[in-house]
Amino acid sequence: MIEPALRVEGVRKSYGHVEVLKGIDMQVKPGEVACLVGPSGSGKSTFLRCINHLEKINSGRLYVHGELVGYQEKKGRLYELSDRVVCRKRAEIGMVFQNFNLFQHMSVLENIIEAPVRVLKISKDEAIAHARELLELVGLSGREESLPKQLSGGQQQRVAITRALAMRPKLMLFDEPTSALDPELVGEVLTAMQNLANSGMTMIVVTHEMGFARKVADTVAFMDAGLIVESGPPDQILDNPKQERTKSFFSKVL
Amino acid sequence: MDSKRKKSPISTAPVNSEATILNAVPIRHYGRWITTIFLLLVAMVMAKSLITNPRFRWGIVGEYIISTPILEGLRLTLLLTVVAQVLGVLIGIILAIMRLSSNRVLSRAAWIYIWFFRGTPLLVQLIFWYNISALYPEISIGIPFGPTFWQGNANELITPFAVAILGLALNEGAYMAEIVRGGILGIDRGQSESAKALGMTHMQTLRRIILPQAVKVIIPPTGNQTILMLKTTSLVSVLALADLLYTAQTIYARTFETMPLLLVVSLWYLGITSVLTFGQFFLERHFTEGKQERISFTQRLTGRSSMRKNSSQLGQAEKVERND
């Protein structure tokens, strides 16, 4: 059996006394696109942040490409990984944020080559060549020298996607990538994401764009109150949900 | 007002058309006229006294202002300012990073440092360092409770100059730490998060992403601190260190020309402060990147921005629009 890109077993996470994730189980195969949908506060973003260890989980197991995230298991005991190793593993997972989070003091090109040069220790020329290639794919050739604040939200988000891709990740995480955008700019970002999905990238997308989920996702998982209530192919979840909670959510959203 | 606007649609007319220029009589600022006249009178009285009061002895001021001992003192004052401020900034950055560290021991240690050095007068600290040999006559370098590699006499080692630098820099570091910390905290959390997500280490994130952006916020208060430092160095006169003030003091102790020499000192401090203010302005402007409105130095001094100058006509048309 092929090792899943993401395997999650009984993951729990609390902030103080508030339990945000109450036992998440999930599997994503390589090349698949999984969309996480659900009301705000249901723990979608927190779960996404656990996958690249931006948040530490309290219990359960989380594997990316068969490797435990943030820990090492030896003779039945868990050992926390050093910051250095965690950083190296994070570099294999791309993440795109709701607010783009481009480095404000750097040009588009500098934003993209920063991590490849500093983290992967790729030569600057090679990084620049790769960055230009990727920028062309998202239709941003010629904006290399622009500063983030000179770009529209849609352009900034496409740069952010490019920046993540420049690390040649095996898995891409999207945290509500279109929620901070003007409605007319949503399309260009979704198109870029769809192209990425078509190229075979494994993607986990937290989104409220049901149209995108229906068109692109292989799996849709509906989350509520820290649990995955229901998951399956988009048609089934969006059109014929079994659970009451899912039905009532989609009846309001769709 | 509303009915009037409907008749003449000021809000939609182009700004430069005849219709928008209001030939209204501006408000008369009687209060301004009165205060202007009053302050002019005060200034004239002061100017007259400065010129005609022979006890200012401007001739002596002129004699001393570029005399060798005064210039030597000025040199030391500037040297102390630069060295202590640079060291202070470095200490401040290190303390700020410690303070924000997730390592509780480091952050608490930095907190105690800042608490101590901000909580005691600098003058006391300077005198304390000056007399440190009373506490530790011998200073040695080695491993605690282990062997000693090097040993020296504290009195020889800690010269007044070293005390001055030590005292000023350690104290400055505490203030700079708070400034740097404020700058770092002012940066959006998303910046460090995305750096982390890209696999950058804590130090890389700090050095490449956070500090370069925090500099913009840190520069203006650091300029103020430098100006403050220039004047604070005069405290070292208690260490019998021949800075600008102490040099003047030794001269007037001999000649009793107290006032002229204090004028000499004040003029020099004023002059250097002005130069530093000027430099601070350009530094600030350099770090305000982008296409924001750039104001010139004179505009800032007079408190006038170019926006306000041509806004009298334009502004009225805009105001009407906004009221809609």
Side-chain angles (χ1 to χ4, degrees), chain B residues 18-81:
Chain B
E18 291 283 323
T20 61
I21 298 170
L22 301 172
N23 285 317
V25 180
I27 293 175
R28 306 285 183 216
H29 296 283
Y30 297 110
R32 272 187 215 172
W33 298 351
I34 293 167
T35 46
T36 308
I37 291 166
F38 175 74
L39 288 175
L40 267 177
L41 277 174
V42 171
M44 277 158 68
V45 169
M46 283 170 67
K48 179 174 175 276
S49 124
L50 276 174
I51 296 164
T52 58
N53 186 346
R55 293 183 211 185
F56 276 106
R57 294 157 90 181
W58 288 104
I60 293 174
V61 173
E63 240 170 72
Y64 277 112
I65 195 140
I66 47 170
S67 66
T68 317
I70 290 292
L71 288 183
E72 279 291 307
L74 179 67
R75 199 185 65 87
L76 184 68
T77 291
L78 289 178
L79 182 68
L80 282 173
T81 306

Side-chain angles (χ1 to χ4, degrees), chain A residues 49 52 54 87 90-91 93 95 97 101-106 114-115 118-119 121 147 163-164 167, chain B residues 188-191 193-201 204 207-209 212-213 216 289-292:
Chain A
R49 296 159 58 84
N52 65 354
L54 281 180
C87 284
R90 257 194 211 125
I93 304 172
M95 186 159 189
F97 298 85
N101 294 346
L102 292 181
F103 304 135
Q104 295 298 317
H105 60 305
M106 293 180 173
E114 178 69 17
R118 304 270 157 188
V119 179
K121 316 279 181 201
L147 285 171
R163 180 175 69 174
M167 296 294 284
Chain B
D188 183 41
R189 249 178 67 103
Q191 295 286 307
E193 256 181 12
S194 60
K196 254 188 182 176
L198 284 165
M200 292 172 78
T201 63
Q204 280 176 329
R207 222 183 53 236
R208 300 282 309 166
I209 309 300
Q213 295 187 64
K216 236 186 289 179
E289 358 152 46
K291 288 172 182 166
Q292 290 170 21

Side-chain angles (χ1 to χ4, degrees), chain B residues 60 151 174 199 249 260:
Chain B
I60 293 174
Q151 199 165 24
Q249 283 175 327

